[in-house]
Amino acid sequence: MAFVLLEVLAELSERAEMAKKVDAFLPSMMKILEAGSEDEKLKIIVVFRNILGQLKKAKASSIAMMLVGKVLPLFDSECSQLRELSLLLFRDLLKAVLSRDEKKMRRNIQSALVPLLFRLNDHIPSVAKASREALFAAAELLKWKQLKHLLQRERMWELGECLLLRRSSRAEEYMHQSLPYLRDSQSSVRLAAVRFISESQPLAPFGPAWPLPCHCTGSKGQPCGNPNHPMPSLSLPLPLATSWAW
């Protein structure tokens, strides 16, 4: 019954009068976006995307500020459709922000930059495309010309370095943020995380004291863990190597 109601809500959200009543539904929709099932979250994202363009600019900007933090965890959903739609909603939210809210939104989206970079490596082309559009919207809001230039020229392999050089003071934070992606279900995303972490180490406050462990084995067949040993080279199959963004 709840899902049927969400389907009706999604249909009604295409009508202009729905935007006028959004305040009545907003608390419930926020809760579903946090704790609902994948299907419920998909419906709620559709509703938000439908009504966002129908709201007055001040109202749309206010909702964007409330909603942006709740969308970020969905970037890494196991459901590819949910990843894609959440990225597109994130893009729409950034575009809806008024100048009065831009400074606060810039602070809010700092934690989205690393996930957006890794989602460029998603093996679903539509998800990778949505991530690129969302990252471009973030670059516009941040007034980051170099990042926009690299995205426009499709020089994806330089994006990680660009982020680290521009935000070197956040290198340690970015490294910690990258660690969960070493266990991502997609090998292309895991490899992107490995490369990004290795690039960020010289810039982090603890420098080379946190190297990725080598894969050598000691006398008992266990990893030796010698920090002075170089990382093993990563050989990629040709299709994966050409699709890897960095």
Side-chain angles (χ1 to χ4, degrees):
M1 179 63 71
F3 187 72
V4 171
L5 291 173
L6 285 175
E7 287 188 318
V8 173
L9 188 61
E11 292 178 6
L12 291 175
S13 67
E14 297 176 0
R15 304 178 184 180
E17 59 266 26
M18 175 65 184
K20 301 176 183 178
K21 303 176 182 178
V22 66
D23 286 332
F25 297 98
L26 200 55
S28 297
M29 290 194 296
M30 291 286 193
K31 288 181 181 179
I32 292 174
L33 205 56
E34 287 184 296
S37 66
E38 288 183 345
D39 288 336
E40 290 171 340
K41 290 176 181 179
L42 283 169
K43 290 296 181 184
I44 292 300
I45 289 177
V46 169
V47 172
F48 274 120
R49 294 195 67 202
N50 285 343
I51 66 174
L52 205 58
Q54 302 174 28
L55 295 169
K56 292 182 178 180
K57 292 183 178 180
K59 185 64 176 178
S61 184
S62 176
I63 289 180
M65 297 301 298
M66 291 188 292
L67 193 57
V68 66
K70 300 185 185 301
V71 175
L72 300 187
L74 305 181
F75 294 174
D76 300 320
S77 169
E78 290 297 319
C79 173
S80 61
Q81 188 179 8
L82 188 52
R83 293 199 303 274
E84 179 182 351
L85 290 185
S86 64
L87 287 162
L88 293 176
L89 176 59
F90 182 81
R91 176 203 63 187
D92 296 344
L93 294 175
L94 299 190
K95 291 183 176 181
V97 174
L98 290 177
S99 56
R100 71 180 188 191
D101 295 324
E102 284 185 357
K103 185 176 181 180
K104 185 176 180 180
M105 182 62 90
R106 289 190 194 106
R107 294 195 298 268
N108 290 344
I109 66 174
Q110 291 295 331
S111 58
L113 296 177
V114 168
L116 289 174
L117 284 172
F118 291 153
R119 280 299 141 211
L120 292 173
N121 298 273
D122 201 286
H123 70 271
I124 305 295
S126 59
V127 176
K129 181 176 181 292
S131 185
R132 178 181 172 185
E133 293 177 7
L135 186 58
F136 189 85
E140 286 192 315
L141 186 66
L142 294 168
K143 302 187 186 325
W144 195 340
K145 294 182 179 179
Q146 184 183 8
L147 187 58
K148 288 173 59 177
H149 175 79
L150 293 176
L151 287 166
Q152 289 171 329
R153 300 296 186 277
E154 298 188 3
R155 292 161 60 180
M156 304 303 185
W157 61 91
E158 298 180 45
L159 292 175
E161 183 181 1
C162 174
L163 174 60
L164 290 168
L165 291 177
R166 177 71 176 267
R167 299 284 192 271
S168 59
S169 62
R170 303 175 71 102
E172 181 179 357
E173 176 188 340
Y174 289 155
M175 185 186 298
H176 283 286
Q177 196 176 3
S178 303
L179 292 178
Y181 289 93
L182 296 174
R183 300 186 296 273
D184 194 89
S185 61
Q186 298 184 34
S187 59
S188 56
V189 175
R190 294 197 301 270
L191 289 168
V194 168
R195 179 166 182 174
F196 185 77
I197 290 171
S198 65
E199 288 177 347
S200 68
Q201 287 187 76
L203 298 174
F206 38 73
W210 240 41
L212 293 173
C214 80
H215 289 195
C216 306
T217 54
S219 58
K220 296 183 179 181
Q222 300 295 324
C224 73
N226 190 332
N228 297 317
H229 286 188
M231 275 185 58
S233 60
L234 297 172
S235 58
L236 304 179
L238 184 58
L240 181 57
T242 54
S243 64
W244 192 14
W246 300 354

